[in-house]
C-alpha cells in the first residue's frame, strides 16, 4: 500500500483529450513526512506513520513534540498509519504527490459531511409509507413497521431508524487520478470525495 | 478557494479566445464532434440568451437558443471548451436584460431581436 494525507480544496472541472468536461476534486496532498517506521520485530506488524499539515509548536503537546523531534520533522496536525508500505521508508523522508501518476486508480478516505438528525428516508433510503393523498395525512416519510408482535415482543437490534447522519469515516474506491501537479503538491481526482472543503482526506492505493 | 481558481485557470489557459458577444447576439458555434475515428465540425446557429459566470470565471458558460424545425432548442457551451472550433457573431442584438428568457414564450415575429448597430470605432 502507498498513501498520502491531503486536504480537500474543492471541486472543479477538467477537459480531457477528447474535450469532455470531467467533474474533479482538487486535493492538497503533501508535503507529507514519515514520522515512524513500524516493523514486525518491534511492533508486531509493518507500517509507516505519515504526518501532514504544519502545526504550531505551542499547540503540540510535549510528548508529541518529542515524537516529531525523533524523526526531525516539524510538528504536524494529522498523523496516519499505512500498513505494509510498498516504498522504502526512512524516518524524516518527505513524500509528495509524485507517489502517484496520472491514470492511477486510488481510494480516498474522508469524514463525510454531518447532516444532523435525519429521518429514515434520507438516512437509509426508505421510501416512506403509502400515498400522499387518499386520506393519508402524516405518514409520508414514516419508517413503517419496525418489527413483529408478541413474539419476540421487542425490536431487533440493528433495526434501521432515524438518527445522526453523516460525519462518519467514508471510503470512496475506484477514483481515477486525472492530473498531478507536483510543483504545488496538488492532485486532481475524477469525481467527488467524502468530506467538506478543507477537511483531511487520505489517498491510498 | 484561490488555489482552486488558479488551478482551474491553468488547466484551461491554452484554449482559444472567443470573440466578444453578449445576450441577444446571434452567433454560430462551430463545435467539433468525434464520430468513431472521424472528426467533423457541426455549426450551431442561434441567439445567445445568457452568459453564466463572471468575466474571470474559468468555468463560465453561454446558452444558445435556436428554433429547429419548429421546436426550440437550447444548448449550453462552456466558454473554455476545447471542442469549440470557433464562434462567429452574425448579428449584434439590442436587448434590455442580460438573460432574455422571455424569448422562450415568444414565437414568430414576436421573437425577433432588434439589431444593434455600432458606430465604427475609428
Amino acid at each position: 500500500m502507498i498513501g498520502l494525507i491531503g486536504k480537500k480544496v474543492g471541486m472543479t472541472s477538467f477537459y480531457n483529450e477528447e474535450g469532455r468536461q470531467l467533474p474533479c476534486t482538487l486535493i492538497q496532498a503533501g508535503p507529507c513526512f514519515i514520522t515512524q517506521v513500524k516493523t514486525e520485530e518491534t511492533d508486531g506488524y509493518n507500517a509507516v506513520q505519515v504526518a501532514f499539515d504544519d502545526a504550531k509548536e505551542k499547540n503540540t503537546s510535549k510528548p508529541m513534540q518529542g515524537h516529531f523531534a525523533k524523526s526531525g520533522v516539524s510538528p504536524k496536525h494529522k498523523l496516519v498509519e499505512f500498513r505494509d508500505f510498498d516504498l522504502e521508508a526512512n524516518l524524516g523522508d518527505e513524500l509528495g504527490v509524485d507517489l502517484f501518476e496520472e491514470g492511477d486508480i486510488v481510494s480516498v478516505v474522508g469524514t463525510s459531511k454531518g447532516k444532523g438528525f435525519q429521518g429514515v428516508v434520507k438516512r437509509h433510503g426508505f421510501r416512506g409509507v403509502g400515498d400522499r393523498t387518499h386520506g393519508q395525512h402524516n405518514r409520508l416519510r414514516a419508517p413503517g413497521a419496525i418489527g413483529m408482535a408478541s413474539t419476540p415482543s421487542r425490536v431487533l437490534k440493528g433495526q434501521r431508524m432515524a438518527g445522526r447522519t453523516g460525519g462518519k469515516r467514508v471510503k470512496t474506491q475506484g477514483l481515477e487520478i486525472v492530473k498531478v501537479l507536483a510543483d504545488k503538491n496538488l492532485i486532481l481526482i475524477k469525481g467527488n470525495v467524502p468530506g467538506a472543503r478543507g477537511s483531511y482526506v487520505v489517498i491510498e492505493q | 478557494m484561490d488555489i482552486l481558481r488558479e488551478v482551474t485557470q491553468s488547466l484551461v489557459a491554452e484554449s482559444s479566445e472567443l470573440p466578444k458577444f453578449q445576450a441577444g447576439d446571434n452567433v454560430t458555434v462551430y463545435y467539433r464532434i468525434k464520430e468513431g475515428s472521424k472528426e467533423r465540425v457541426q455549426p450551431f446557429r442561434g441567439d445567445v440568451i445568457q452568459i453564466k459566470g463572471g468575466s474571470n470565471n474559468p468555468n463560465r458558460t453561454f446558452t444558445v437558443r435556436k428554433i429547429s424545425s419548429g421546436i426550440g432548442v437550447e444548448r449550453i457551451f462552456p466558454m473554455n471548451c476545447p471542442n469549440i472550433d470557433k464562434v462567429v457573431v452574425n448579428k449584434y442584438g439590442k436587448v434590455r436584460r442580460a438573460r432574455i428568457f422571455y424569448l422562450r414564450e415568444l414565437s414568430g415575429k414576436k421573437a425577433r431581436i432588434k439589431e444593434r448597430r455600432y458606430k465604427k470605432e475609428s
Side-chain angles (χ1 to χ4, degrees):
Chain A
M1 179 190 265
I2 55 170
L4 283 178
I5 315 171
K7 229 177 200 182
K8 182 167 168 179
V9 177
M11 290 196 70
T12 181
S13 58
F14 177 78
Y15 295 96
N16 66 3
E17 314 84 64
E18 284 172 35
R20 239 168 220 291
Q21 197 177 16
L22 307 174
C24 288
T25 310
L26 192 65
I27 295 172
Q28 174 89 50
C32 297
F33 295 91
I34 290 170
T35 47
Q36 194 178 358
V37 180
K38 295 192 173 180
T39 57
E40 194 105 38
E41 297 89 65
T42 54
D43 307 279
Y45 62 99
N46 291 315
V48 157
Q49 190 188 63
V50 177
F52 170 67
D53 205 11
D54 283 327
K56 280 182 183 164
E57 201 169 305
K58 67 166 186 176
N59 295 335
T60 312
S61 69
K62 286 257 172 71
M64 284 312 288
Q65 282 184 27
H67 179 65
F68 286 116
K70 229 181 205 176
S71 50
V73 173
S74 65
K76 302 274 184 270
H77 275 295
K78 184 82 178 164
L79 293 173
V80 170
E81 212 174 273
F82 294 97
R83 289 289 285 260
D84 302 319
F85 211 66
D86 288 336
L87 301 174
E88 191 174 310
N90 299 310
L91 272 187
D93 277 3
E94 188 179 333
L95 300 174
V97 290
D98 44 5
L99 232 60
F100 297 111
E101 276 174 28
E102 281 163 33
D104 282 358
I105 304 295
V106 294
S107 307
V108 176
V109 183
T111 306
S112 62
K113 283 184 183 175
K115 306 261 186 272
F117 193 100
Q118 295 296 332
V120 289
V121 175
K122 191 182 187 84
R123 192 169 187 221
H124 298 298
F126 285 15
R127 284 160 187 188
V129 169
D131 289 328
R132 206 167 228 174
T133 53
H134 292 302
Q136 197 283 109
H137 74 110
N138 60 0
R139 313 283 309 147
L140 194 63
R141 295 173 70 88
I146 56 168
M148 295 62 88
S150 46
T151 27
S153 178
R154 62 185 173 90
V155 174
L156 297 179
K157 274 195 174 173
Q159 173 66 35
R160 293 177 295 170
M161 291 192 181
R164 278 274 184 106
T165 308
K168 277 191 180 146
R169 181 190 149 99
V170 176
K171 180 189 266 188
T172 309
Q173 293 177 308
L175 297 170
E176 185 188 337
I177 291 182
V178 173
K179 195 130 189 131
V180 175
L181 303 161
D183 52 331
K184 287 182 196 140
N185 264 320
L186 291 166
I187 225 167
L188 203 62
I189 288 179
K190 185 179 162 188
N192 47 358
V193 305
R197 286 193 296 265
S199 63
Y200 291 113
V201 291
V202 176
I203 309 166
E204 55 185 39
Q205 189 188 28
Chain B
M1 279 313 261
D2 282 332
I3 319 174
L4 196 61
R5 176 153 286 190
E6 220 174 86
V7 170
T8 313
Q9 196 84 61
S10 72
L11 292 176
V12 299
E14 69 271 23
S15 75
S16 59
E17 294 269 301
L18 301 182
K20 248 191 183 172
F21 56 84
Q22 60 190 55
D25 295 349
N26 188 287
V27 297
T28 311
V29 181
Y30 291 88
Y31 194 77
R32 271 192 294 261
I33 292 182
K34 261 202 188 122
E35 283 169 331
S37 55
K38 266 183 279 178
E39 201 185 74
R40 64 187 186 87
V41 174
Q42 186 187 58
F44 190 93
R45 182 179 175 155
D47 299 323
V48 178
I49 62 168
Q50 72 165 336
I51 293 174
K52 230 175 163 179
S55 57
N56 55 356
N57 185 343
N59 284 329
R60 62 204 298 246
T61 60
F62 61 100
T63 307
V64 180
R65 179 182 170 84
K66 76 165 176 182
I67 307 295
S68 175
S69 45
I71 294 164
V73 177
E74 283 176 20
R75 200 158 163 188
I76 303 166
F77 296 98
M79 284 276 189
N80 289 311
C81 183
N83 278 355
I84 294 179
D85 199 35
K86 61 177 174 177
V87 173
V88 175
V89 183
N90 309 308
K91 249 190 246 173
Y92 292 99
K94 187 178 167 188
V95 289
R96 292 186 171 196
R97 52 209 72 212
R99 302 188 169 184
I100 47 172
F101 296 147
Y102 65 82
L103 218 63
R104 289 171 178 161
E105 266 85 64
L106 304 178
S107 62
K109 281 190 172 180
K110 279 249 167 84
R112 282 174 304 178
I113 297 172
K114 245 190 192 169
E115 197 163 348
R116 178 163 48 112
R117 303 226 179 250
Y118 279 114
K119 282 174 201 127
K120 272 267 164 67
E121 284 168 45
S122 50

